[in-house]
Amino acid sequence: MIEHATRGRRALHLVDAQGDFDADKVAAAIAVALDTDPAGLQDALDGELAADLADALTRLGPRQQAAMLALIAADERALVFGYLPLKLQTALAAGMSRPAVLELFDLMSADERVDLFNTLPPDRRERLLPALAQAEREDIRRLASYPRDSVGALMTSEYATLTPELTAGEAIAELRRVAPDKETIYNAYVIDHDRRLVGVATLRRLILAAPDMPVSEVMASDPVTVFVDADQYEAASKIARYDFIALPVIDRERRIVGIVTADDAMDVAEAEATEDFHKAGGSLGTLTVSMKDAGIGLLYRQRVFWLVLLVFANLFSGAGIAHFEDLIAANLALVFFLPLLIASGGNAGAQSATLMVRAIATGDVEMRDWAGMLGREFIVSTLLGLTMALAVSAIGLFRGGPEIAIVVATTMLLIVLVGSVMGMSLPFLLSRFRADPASASSPLITSLADGVGILIYFGIATVMLSWLGQPA
Amino acid sequence: MIEHATRGRRALHLVDAQGDFDADKVAAAIAVALDTDPAGLQDALDGELAADLADALTRLGPRQQAAMLALIAADERALVFGYLPLKLQTALAAGMSRPAVLELFDLMSADERVDLFNTLPPDRRERLLPALAQAEREDIRRLASYPRDSVGALMTSEYATLTPELTAGEAIAELRRVAPDKETIYNAYVIDHDRRLVGVATLRRLILAAPDMPVSEVMASDPVTVFVDADQYEAASKIARYDFIALPVIDRERRIVGIVTADDAMDVAEAEATEDFHKAGGSLGTLTVSMKDAGIGLLYRQRVFWLVLLVFANLFSGAGIAHFEDLIAANLALVFFLPLLIASGGNAGAQSATLMVRAIATGDVEMRDWAGMLGREFIVSTLLGLTMALAVSAIGLFRGGPEIAIVVATTMLLIVLVGSVMGMSLPFLLSRFRADPASASSPLITSLADGVGILIYFGIATVMLSWLGQPA
């Protein structure tokens, strides 16, 4: 829902000095009022926004939640449900009577209704369906049929349609008539007799137009659309790109089948960013539930894959060390600098990788920018490497003498350079081979940089220490 | 702007089979048409959306950009400017005549105009100001006076106001009158004679109301607002929380001074996610310009701070190793497992840290959830640690015999446990001490885990190998 913009909201007299809602305090006050003054509470709740009520509700115990919901008017209750985590919606619905659930389903918006329906146990779904109005039943069946990440599973069927022959005045009257059942009337979708989308008329343009002007002249023809089987992210990025309030969804015959609203697009964009974030930290980016509610099994599965995989990547580092065992035995001082040097390569690499992954995800950088950016990365990482080499050579001088200082400074420069270029390039390479660039996680880059760093370090040490007349 | 929802967009006949815009192809076609058929191109451009035109424009050379802009109608050109990167806007404005810049300023939306104005060289600003209409001049001065990250620097002054005595019918007529100059007329702000905000009336409600009903009865009183000096992120999160189209901005006297629109809120949310992403990778999260356009100096400054700081953190790891030099000399096989073990602690820690940082940023998890999550993290990381210990003990058995296998397996379990708990707790601790939880970056966690891992590894080795009768 993008319409219910505002309501009075100080009725509970619990917003803070900034006028902001404090869910904890409100929940505590509700818990008290449920026992002492239910009638007063009912009035107070009436003035609050659904998002706030939902927030307060999640902070109550199960019995209080049910009691609070009972005090909220049915249409508002349906709105509150839409803001609750799905898991809680399911739990609350399980405790409600059949008529209450039917009323809730009737009043919820179509997209939220089908989400709740999908989480109900199969036997309950079977029993509910026949009791629903036919239109709702068909709507639920249709929306429930789309794959989880598709636009179809995100869209709502509550959009307003117009026909091109209507006048602007008639169109406004029509929108007024259907408004109560629609998510938005600010965009109306103009369809031909086959329900094919021929244009979009904004309420703004309809209001500005002469009342007798036909909708076909007011509307923008050939609008931006998204296919019902496309990825949800495509709908979200189109809405963000064009600053739309809503985006029409069409099937392969260009018939309109739904709309995606800007608020839902914002949620998708946030979920997508979260997924990338999780991947950047080396988890599988599949955690769509709240972190707070995530089960132990889910968290384990999300994390174990990369952890174990990286054990094998790190074996190469171990093998690298084993290869240089004699060098190390002869120069134990080298081991002192090992963590420092290889970590720096990983750190520089993690920096470039995350900068790149994000830039690719936001569309800021594309495949064809690689060559240009590689050149710049060389310069930046050389400067970074020189700074780091300077810092570490002082320590080297102090810890191991001038020979060690030269070895560690040279190694640092090279390691930072190689780590950075690797970190910058891997997201591009992944993207090139149609893999997710976000898989170039910090742990992966760090592990790769460790292995390469060990080879560079001990390789340089072998060569340099023999040059410099040290035993190597 | 959130209004110009759709226009015809196939005029250039270059959208692909999906109906999507291919900026590269369109740019190439424009480049050709500029020479061969400017009149035809002018017609074609007329049908395209501003966001698409801006996207194509960025792919042209400077001279072609100017030529293309000249073919676009003045009002559309102002829209296109709003979608261009600021740096390019400034460059293009520098090449434009004074009357052309004045026309552009006149037609741009207030928030985008002031952003451009702020990037112009001071002498040019001085010369421009007197030529602007007084209202625009004052508006620019006022908007330019707000600090960079404040709501004031994000908001626009083009909102529609109503007075409470108007009837719904009069209000609609008024909105119709002012619509051309307003960012949105879907939310109208009801003010008293001191410009204090008393309510918000949505166009939907105004249209649904009886024409003679006063605005004071249609409007929602006591609306959600944001202060002009608040952080932009606050405006963005309120818009996301309540699914608003626009949010009114007030000063400390509750006078309305502007509105923030949902599309701008979406941009802020994206920028905020990018900042957190950069921090997670161990960069300073201050890169507000495009990665593609970022200068070498900026990239260097953004990355050098943490890199050098972490060198010193890693010194402790080196010192740890030096402390166990004799143990290492006697058991060189231990070094083989060093990178593997300490990297695993860092990897597990980076996973938990990013999961937590993101959960805190999205509001999914709060300070008070720490204790509960710590318990769960113990269980999850013990399971992860056992899995990893199993994997590594097989390698230990093969490489160094049963004693080494026991040492590395025990170490792995402990390191993964400690790394995870550290990674999970650091964001909370930072948040507790009012620092940014996103500073718990993967490189920081990795470096900390390295140090702790070395102590655990060699500590366990010292104890166990002497128990098991090995020289230690």
Side-chain angles (χ1 to χ4, degrees):
Chain A
M1 284 292 281
I2 58 171
E3 305 285 336
H4 50 102
T6 43
R7 286 157 176 270
R9 60 191 300 271
R10 274 163 215 252
L12 273 181
H13 297 298
L14 278 163
V15 287
D16 63 19
Q18 306 282 312
D20 289 337
F21 184 85
D22 184 330
D24 279 325
K25 279 200 195 152
V26 174
I30 289 172
V32 172
L34 277 172
D35 291 330
T36 56
D37 180 20
L41 180 60
Q42 186 159 26
D43 285 347
L45 294 180
D46 193 38
E48 294 293 316
L49 289 161
D52 289 337
L53 291 178
D55 198 355
L57 186 93
T58 56
R59 288 151 208 261
L60 295 173
R63 227 184 288 172
Q64 292 170 319
Q65 289 175 337
M68 174 179 166
L69 273 181
L71 291 178
I72 302 173
D75 54 343
E76 182 74 4
R77 193 189 305 143
L79 284 179
V80 171
F81 251 77
Y83 283 102
L84 293 175
L86 257 184
K87 213 171 153 182
L88 181 54
Q89 287 186 44
T90 320
L92 289 170
M96 284 164 70
S97 69
R98 201 175 123 107
V101 173
L102 285 173
E103 184 189 44
L104 181 71
F105 265 63
D106 185 41
L107 292 167
M108 280 180 89
S109 75
D111 49 345
E112 289 161 357
R113 175 171 62 197
V114 69
D115 288 342
L116 173 55
F117 181 80
N118 280 336
T119 63
L120 295 180
D123 61 315
R124 184 139 195 181
R125 269 187 261 174
E126 302 275 306
R127 272 178 294 135
L128 252 163
L129 265 188
L132 291 169
Q134 200 198 338
E136 285 174 12
R137 198 160 64 223
E138 278 170 13
D139 189 61
I140 287 180
R141 279 224 180 96
R142 197 169 58 85
L143 290 181
S145 70
Y146 295 108
R148 254 187 90 223
D149 289 330
S150 71
V151 171
L154 178 69
M155 70 187 188
T156 181
S157 41
E158 292 159 332
Y159 51 91
T161 54
L162 298 172
T163 49
E165 324 77 63
L166 290 176
T167 66
E170 289 166 344
I172 293 172
E174 167 68 7
L175 290 180
R176 200 178 152 167
R177 192 179 66 77
V178 300
D181 293 326
K182 304 303 175 194
E183 285 250 344
T184 184
I185 55 165
Y186 298 147
N187 284 351
Y189 301 92
V190 186
I191 51 175
D192 65 15
H193 50 271
D194 288 327
R195 289 195 74 78
R196 259 190 289 264
L197 183 67
V198 294
V200 175
T202 64
L203 184 55
R204 180 182 184 131
R205 284 207 197 186
L206 288 170
I207 279 190
L208 284 174
D212 59 351
M213 187 184 265
V215 165
S216 56
E217 282 176 40
V218 178
M219 72 184 193
S221 51
D222 211 356
V224 177
T225 55
V226 68
F227 282 117
V228 67
D229 51 3
D231 192 283
Q232 293 184 356
Y233 188 61
E234 198 182 318
S237 42
K238 280 187 175 169
I239 285 177
R241 175 182 173 96
Y242 297 109
D243 300 337
F244 287 157
I245 287 178
L247 177 71
V249 182
I250 55 170
D251 64 15
R252 293 284 155 181
E253 278 78 45
R254 289 198 64 77
R255 284 185 303 243
I256 184 165
V257 291
I259 59 168
V260 174
T261 51
D263 56 327
D264 292 335
M266 228 162 160
D267 294 342
V268 169
E270 187 179 290
E272 196 78 20
T274 299
E275 201 181 301
D276 278 358
F277 222 85
H278 289 177
K279 283 186 187 159
S283 301
L284 295 178
T286 48
L287 194 64
T288 46
V289 299
S290 152
M291 261 305 279
K292 214 161 42 183
D293 301 333
I296 286 167
L298 178 65
L299 284 171
Y300 175 83
R301 284 193 304 279
Q302 202 192 8
R303 294 173 58 183
V304 75
F305 174 77
W306 276 109
L307 277 187
V308 171
L309 203 73
L310 292 175
V311 163
F312 293 98
N314 280 306
L315 274 182
F316 288 99
S317 306
I321 291 188
H323 180 75
F324 291 103
E325 221 163 51
D326 296 339
L327 174 78
I328 297 169
N331 299 277
L332 267 178
L334 288 176
V335 184
F336 175 83
F337 293 96
L338 182 64
L340 176 60
L341 291 169
I342 66 177
S344 296
N347 291 345
Q351 286 182 333
S352 341
T354 42
L355 292 177
M356 277 309 130
V357 166
R358 183 64 185 165
I360 293 174
T362 57
D364 178 22
V365 157
E366 293 168 40
M367 200 57 220
R368 62 196 176 107
D369 300 319
W370 185 18
M373 301 195 78
L374 196 63
R376 199 186 50 184
E377 186 69 18
F378 256 108
I379 304 176
V380 172
S381 56
T382 303
L383 291 174
L384 289 170
L386 285 172
T387 313
M388 310 274 290
L390 202 72
V392 86
S393 65
I395 306 161
L397 206 59
F398 173 74
R399 261 303 300 185
E403 293 86 2
I404 296 287
I406 293 175
V407 169
V408 294
T410 316
T411 305
M412 183 61 104
L413 174 59
L414 259 178
I415 279 185
V416 168
L417 191 68
V418 171
S420 295
V421 168
M422 218 166 61
M424 201 213 81
S425 304
L426 193 60
F428 279 106
L429 281 178
L430 287 168
S431 166
R432 177 71 224 241
F433 292 105
R434 308 205 159 264
D436 186 350
S439 302
S441 66
S442 298
L444 176 61
I445 297 286
T446 304
S447 297
L448 293 177
D450 280 357
V452 175
I454 284 169
L455 293 184
I456 293 177
Y457 182 29
F458 293 132
I460 287 181
T462 308
V463 174
M464 283 215 164
L465 292 184
S466 76
W467 275 358
L468 298 167
Q470 283 262 339
Chain B
M1 285 293 279
I2 57 172
E3 304 285 336
H4 50 99
T6 43
R7 285 157 177 271
R9 60 190 300 270
R10 273 161 215 253
L12 272 182
H13 297 298
L14 278 164
V15 286
D16 62 19
Q18 307 282 312
D20 289 338
F21 183 85
D22 184 330
D24 279 326
K25 277 200 197 151
V26 173
I30 289 173
V32 172
L34 277 171
D35 291 331
T36 56
D37 180 20
L41 179 60
Q42 186 158 23
D43 285 346
L45 295 181
D46 194 37
E48 295 293 316
L49 288 161
D52 289 337
L53 290 177
D55 196 357
L57 186 94
T58 56
R59 289 152 208 260
L60 295 173
R63 227 183 289 172
Q64 291 170 318
Q65 290 176 335
M68 175 180 165
L69 274 180
L71 291 178
I72 302 173
D75 54 343
E76 182 74 4
R77 193 188 306 143
L79 285 179
V80 171
F81 252 76
Y83 282 104
L84 294 174
L86 256 184
K87 211 171 155 183
L88 181 55
Q89 287 185 44
T90 320
L92 290 169
M96 284 164 70
S97 70
R98 202 174 121 106
V101 174
L102 285 173
E103 184 190 43
L104 181 70
F105 265 63
D106 185 41
L107 293 168
M108 279 178 92
S109 75
D111 50 345
E112 289 161 357
R113 176 171 61 197
V114 69
D115 289 343
L116 173 56
F117 181 80
N118 280 337
T119 64
L120 295 179
D123 59 317
R124 185 142 195 180
R125 271 187 258 175
E126 302 276 304
R127 273 177 294 137
L128 251 162
L129 265 188
L132 290 169
Q134 201 197 337
E136 284 174 13
R137 199 162 62 223
E138 280 171 12
D139 189 61
I140 286 180
R141 279 223 180 96
R142 196 170 58 85
L143 290 180
S145 70
Y146 296 107
R148 254 187 88 222
D149 289 330
S150 72
V151 172
L154 177 70
M155 70 185 188
T156 181
S157 42
E158 292 159 332
Y159 52 90
T161 55
L162 298 171
T163 49
E165 324 78 64
L166 289 176
T167 65
E170 289 166 344
I172 293 172
E174 167 68 7
L175 291 180
R176 198 177 153 169
R177 192 180 66 78
V178 301
D181 293 325
K182 303 304 174 193
E183 285 250 343
T184 184
I185 55 166
Y186 298 147
N187 285 352
Y189 301 93
V190 187
I191 52 174
D192 66 13
H193 50 274
D194 288 327
R195 290 196 71 80
R196 259 190 289 265
L197 183 68
V198 294
V200 175
T202 63
L203 184 55
R204 180 181 183 134
R205 284 209 198 186
L206 287 170
I207 279 189
L208 283 175
D212 59 352
M213 186 182 267
V215 165
S216 56
E217 285 177 37
V218 178
M219 73 184 193
S221 53
D222 211 356
V224 177
T225 56
V226 67
F227 283 118
V228 68
D229 52 1
D231 192 285
Q232 294 184 357
Y233 188 61
E234 197 183 317
S237 40
K238 281 187 176 172
I239 285 177
R241 176 183 172 96
Y242 298 110
D243 299 339
F244 287 158
I245 286 177
L247 177 70
V249 182
I250 55 170
D251 64 15
R252 294 283 155 182
E253 278 79 47
R254 291 198 61 78
R255 284 186 303 244
I256 184 164
V257 291
I259 59 168
V260 174
T261 49
D263 56 329
D264 291 335
M266 227 163 161
D267 294 342
V268 169
E270 185 178 294
E272 197 77 21
T274 298
E275 203 181 300
D276 278 358
F277 220 86
H278 289 176
K279 284 186 187 158
S283 301
L284 296 178
T286 48
L287 194 65
T288 46
V289 299
S290 151
M291 260 306 278
K292 214 160 47 181
D293 301 333
I296 286 166
L298 178 65
L299 284 172
Y300 176 82
R301 284 193 304 278
Q302 201 191 6
R303 294 173 57 182
V304 75
F305 174 77
W306 276 110
L307 277 187
V308 171
L309 203 73
L310 292 175
V311 164
F312 294 98
N314 281 305
L315 273 182
F316 288 99
S317 306
I321 290 187
H323 180 74
F324 291 103
E325 222 164 52
D326 297 338
L327 174 77
I328 296 169
N331 299 277
L332 267 177
L334 287 176
V335 184
F336 175 84
F337 293 96
L338 182 64
L340 175 61
L341 291 170
I342 65 178
S344 297
N347 292 344
Q351 286 182 332
S352 343
T354 41
L355 292 177
M356 275 310 129
V357 166
R358 182 65 186 166
I360 293 174
T362 56
D364 177 22
V365 157
E366 291 168 42
M367 200 58 220
R368 62 192 177 113
D369 300 320
W370 186 18
M373 302 195 77
L374 196 63
R376 197 185 51 183
E377 186 69 18
F378 257 109
I379 304 177
V380 172
S381 55
T382 303
L383 290 174
L384 289 170
L386 285 173
T387 313
M388 310 274 291
L390 203 72
V392 87
S393 65
I395 306 161
L397 204 60
F398 174 75
R399 264 298 303 185
E403 294 86 2
I404 297 285
I406 293 175
V407 170
V408 296
T410 317
T411 305
M412 183 61 105
L413 173 60
L414 259 177
I415 279 185
V416 169
L417 190 68
V418 171
S420 295
V421 168
M422 218 166 61
M424 201 214 80
S425 304
L426 193 60
F428 279 107
L429 281 178
L430 288 168
S431 167
R432 176 74 227 237
F433 293 104
R434 307 204 160 264
D436 186 349
S439 302
S441 65
S442 298
L444 177 61
I445 297 286
T446 304
S447 297
L448 293 177
D450 281 356
V452 175
I454 285 169
L455 294 184
I456 292 178
Y457 182 27
F458 293 133
I460 286 182
T462 308
V463 174
M464 284 215 162
L465 293 183
S466 75
W467 272 0
L468 299 167
Q470 283 263 339

